[in-house]
Amino acid sequence: MTKPLVAITGASSGIGEATARAFSKAGHPVLLMARRMDRMEAMNLPNAVLRQVDVRDRDAIAAAVRDAEAIHGPVDMMFANAGIARLADIGRQPPEEWDEMIDINTKGVMNTVHAVMKGMMERRHGTLVMMSSIAGRKVYPDHTVYCGTKFFVHAVAESLREYLSAHDVRVIVLSPGVIETEVLSGVLDETTLANYKSNKAKMGGGIGAEIVGDLILNAYQLPQNALVQEICLTPTRQTY
Ligand code: NDP
């Protein structure tokens, strides 16, 4: 039997890439969206539609979804994952870094969800997975605006979950702790980066992105009337 289409933003590396691989291995066609086409092409996944999309561009996401759905049918799982972490001491952080995080991590997530929500409601079927963070549950003094963006995702996910439950659409919010990815390449403040790396070393490093991808697949594979509302996954030694 043909499996439904799944769509992922930020699919060119890290957790998005790992999730694309997990769903592809399980036999799903995939719509992969990110800015780095070469990285998505190198994954060489079967039945994959690749689109160069910046999540700040609402029309581009909608067009990518339309293209992929014309080939593989409706998107049944959307992973609004794309994000950046410009962690910094707020006293010296340039405001342009807030703008970027707010636009990508909050409006980008809304643009992504918006592209598929109506169709899922009409079909009374579908799953939205929204990328927050452990930093969307608690605050850290050098994560100020990043925490703000992730608290935003938490609040929207919880509100959406209530709104969509009557339409049988599931909303899962994902709150990982330290995962081994390229995310630290976005930290431009050297002191914050050094502190983060030192804390990470103390907890024995981050955990593999493939663990996150497999967990999302497991949650998705439950029957549509069973919902894992939140996945909060950290290294065992992470206490903060
Ligand atoms: P990576 O840096 O490896 O992946 C980030 C992904 O987001 C890339 O595929 C990147 O693709 C994409 N992306 C960034 N900006 C945009 C944009 N404007 N438009 C489209 N795609 C974009 O890090 P992670 O896998 O760790 O990050 C994924 C998500 O997980 C983020 O939202 C992050 O905040 C969250 N997270 C990560 C944790 C960790 O410890 N790693 C912990 C908690 C949450 P490209 O540059 O090609 O566009």
Side-chain angles (χ1 to χ4, degrees):
M1 233 171 66
T2 318
K3 298 215 172 154
L5 175 64
V6 306
I8 299 168
T9 65
S12 59
S13 63
I15 297 167
E17 174 179 350
T19 307
R21 290 188 187 281
F23 277 83
S24 180
K25 197 171 164 202
H28 291 270
V30 288
L31 165 60
L32 307 184
M33 293 172 278
R35 294 165 301 178
R36 289 171 297 173
M37 281 297 279
D38 55 333
R39 294 287 294 263
M40 296 189 289
E41 280 159 8
M43 289 163 67
N44 200 21
L45 297 180
N47 297 317
V49 177
L50 316 181
R51 285 291 178 274
Q52 185 167 41
V53 164
D54 187 316
V55 291
R56 289 168 286 195
D57 184 345
R58 194 176 299 147
D59 294 339
I61 302 178
V65 166
R66 266 198 311 276
D67 290 353
E69 289 192 332
I71 304 167
H72 294 294
V75 171
D76 193 50
M77 194 286 283
M78 173 62 92
F79 184 19
N81 164 68
I84 56 164
R86 299 251 186 269
L87 313 178
D89 177 317
I90 192 68
R92 55 172 182 258
Q93 184 169 39
E96 291 72 23
E97 291 192 10
W98 317 336
D99 292 342
E100 240 184 319
M101 274 189 290
I102 291 167
D103 288 346
I104 295 171
N105 299 3
T106 67
K107 292 187 196 171
V109 165
M110 291 310 298
N111 291 340
T112 305
V113 163
H114 183 256
V116 294
M117 204 176 91
K118 192 158 169 270
M120 288 181 176
M121 287 167 67
E122 284 165 4
R123 292 186 297 277
R124 305 193 71 83
H125 210 279
T127 304
L128 301 173
V129 182
M130 298 171 66
M131 179 53 98
S132 178
S133 166
I134 195 86
R137 307 174 106 240
K138 47 185 171 183
V139 295
Y140 305 87
D142 57 3
H143 283 39
T144 311
V145 176
Y146 182 72
C147 285
T149 65
K150 296 303 187 179
F151 270 69
F152 172 95
V153 175
H154 248 83
V156 168
E158 284 177 16
S159 174
L160 265 182
R161 185 182 305 123
E162 289 197 22
Y163 181 81
L164 291 173
S165 67
H167 301 271
D168 297 319
V169 175
R170 302 184 295 190
V171 179
I172 299 173
V173 67
L174 191 61
S175 315
V178 179
I179 313 295
E180 287 297 345
T181 69
E182 296 170 24
V183 74
L184 292 183
S185 65
V187 184
L188 307 178
D189 182 300
E190 281 174 23
T191 310
T192 301
L193 183 60
N195 289 340
Y196 190 104
K197 284 184 173 168
S198 144
N199 287 333
K200 187 174 156 184
K202 282 185 207 146
M203 67 178 81
I207 55 180
E210 69 287 350
I211 295 172
V212 188
D214 289 344
L215 257 181
I216 296 171
L217 178 64
N218 289 341
Y220 171 78
Q221 285 175 332
L222 293 177
Q224 187 71 19
N225 68 352
L227 169 60
V228 178
Q229 296 198 0
E230 178 170 358
I231 297 174
C232 182
L233 168 76
T234 67
T236 305
R237 286 206 210 162
Q238 183 172 355
T239 54
Y240 44 83

